């Protein structure tokens, strides 16, 4: 198990009979020392996939989340704006013991503003499946939950990604492009969690060769300049659909759940099978046509 690095600790829970937490200074994924009541009792999550992780593993601690936090489906708590435009006043007023953020998902200026108001913020950094597993393990430990505890999803994630199914076509690795936005067009590029997911499932993200994480380029332009087998159209962050996206490229396109491709946490358990089913179904339909 990966334990958060502890540089110092303050506070003595024995000083008060009612106290059940102690203040510790722990380093988050980006190396910042975060003052954390261990375990925290009031947690706000600004990351949809991590909201699901906390809700399933330590539901009694979760008091707030963004409007984009849709899982679990019965989530009923304080909503604090969006991932890119959080309601900082509402977060501060809620007096959380810990706010969970992500280096890519959330803005550094919002993290800094919360810290200026003495709100502890734990920033995660996830670029691939291994770093997701490490980060999730550390976060669960901070929350006072064993990653291999009775709720079980963490071990299921490890199992699902030990030998994930390989998705191939025409007897070789599928070459794919994954748009994430249009107006302007943006695609998934190098060094991202989604690209690592595709690679581990046996596919090649051709846009990764362009170097940047999210190149601003029309996927049709990529398909015209290099061989591409499929354009994968996720339903988030841009809500691509059967009538919004496929018409922009001549290459066969397939809709895939963004949650399976971009979410780290409990969604990783079923992600390999969900993506395989969606893509293989599309390959079969294209072949039949």
């Amino acid at each position: 198990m990966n334990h958060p690095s502890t540089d110092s600790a303050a506070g003595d829970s024995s000083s008060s009979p009612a106290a059940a937490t102690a203040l510790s200074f722990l380093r988050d994924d980006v190396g910042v020392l975060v003052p954390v009541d261990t375990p925290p009792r009031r947690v706000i999550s600004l990351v949809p996939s991590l909201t699901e992780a906390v809700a399933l593993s330590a539901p009694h601690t979760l008091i707030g989340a963004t409007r984009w936090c849709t899982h679990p489906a019965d989530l009923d708590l304080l909503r604090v704006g969006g991932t890119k435009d959080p309601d900082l006043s509402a977060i501060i007023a809620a007096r959380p013991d810990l706010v969970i953020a992500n280096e890519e998902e959330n803005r550094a200026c919002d993290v800094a503003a919360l810290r200026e108001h003495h709100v502890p913020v734990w920033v995660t950094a996830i670029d691939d499946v291994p770093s997701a597993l490490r980060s999730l393990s550390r976060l669960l430990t901070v929350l006072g939950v064993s990653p291999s505890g009775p709720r079980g999803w963490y071990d299921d994630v490890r199992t699902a990604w030990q030998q994930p199914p390989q998705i191939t076509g025409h007897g070789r690795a599928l070459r794919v492009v994954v748009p994430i936005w249009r107006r302007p067009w943006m695609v998934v590029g190098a060094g991202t969690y989604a690209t690592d997911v595709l690679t581990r499932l046996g596919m090649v993200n051709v846009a990764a060769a362009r170097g940047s994480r999210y190149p601003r380029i029309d996927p049709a332009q990529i398909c015209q300049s290099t061989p591409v087998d499929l354009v994968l159209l996720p339903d988030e962050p841009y809500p691509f659909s059967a009538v919004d996206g496929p018409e922009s490229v001549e290459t066969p396109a397939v809709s895939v759940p963004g949650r399976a491709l971009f979410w780290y946490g409990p969604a990783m358990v079923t992600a390999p099978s969900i993506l395989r089913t969606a893509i293989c179904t599309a390959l079969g339909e294209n072949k039949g046509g």
Side-chain angles (χ1 to χ4, degrees), residues 14 39 45 55-56 81 90 112 140 145 173 182 205-206 213 222 227 230 240 243 273 285:
S14 64
S45 173
L56 294 182
L140 292 175
V145 177
R182 68 185 306 178
N205 177 13
V206 299
R213 291 174 67 85
I222 298 177
L230 283 178
F240 289 107
V243 295
S273 60
E285 290 175 352

Side-chain angles (χ1 to χ4, degrees), residues 118-141:
H118 309 291
V119 176
V121 184
W122 184 269
V123 178
T124 59
I126 296 171
D127 295 322
D128 51 30
V129 170
S131 64
L133 289 168
R134 292 192 299 271
S135 182
L136 290 164
S137 177
R138 299 178 76 240
L139 177 60
L140 292 175
T141 301

Side-chain angles (χ1 to χ4, degrees), residues 66-80:
T66 75
R67 62 177 174 269
W68 302 115
C69 295
T70 57
H71 289 72
D74 59 352
L75 204 60
D76 183 17
L77 37 62
L78 173 69
R79 297 295 178 165
V80 293

Side-chain angles (χ1 to χ4, degrees), residues 151-216:
R151 297 185 183 270
W153 64 263
Y154 182 84
D155 283 343
D156 291 341
V157 168
R158 291 177 62 91
T159 299
W161 286 96
Q162 281 178 353
Q163 291 183 316
Q166 300 297 287
I167 305 173
T168 60
H170 315 295
R172 57 172 173 76
L174 286 172
R175 296 171 59 85
V176 301
V177 174
V178 186
I180 58 167
W181 205 258
R182 68 185 306 178
R183 307 181 191 99
W185 282 105
M186 296 175 65
V187 300
V188 173
T192 60
Y193 173 79
T195 289
D196 188 59
V197 165
L198 296 171
T199 300
R200 291 175 185 275
L201 295 177
M203 292 175 279
V204 176
N205 177 13
V206 299
R210 295 180 174 270
S212 61
R213 291 174 67 85
Y214 298 104
R216 295 195 174 197

Side-chain angles (χ1 to χ4, degrees), residues 2 16 25 40 75 93 98 112 118 122-123 128 146 148 160 206 223 233 253 266 273 276:
N2 296 299
S16 170
F25 288 83
L75 204 60
L98 189 67
H118 309 291
W122 184 269
V123 178
D128 51 30
S146 170
S148 298
V206 299
C223 295
L233 296 174
S273 60
R276 184 179 188 278

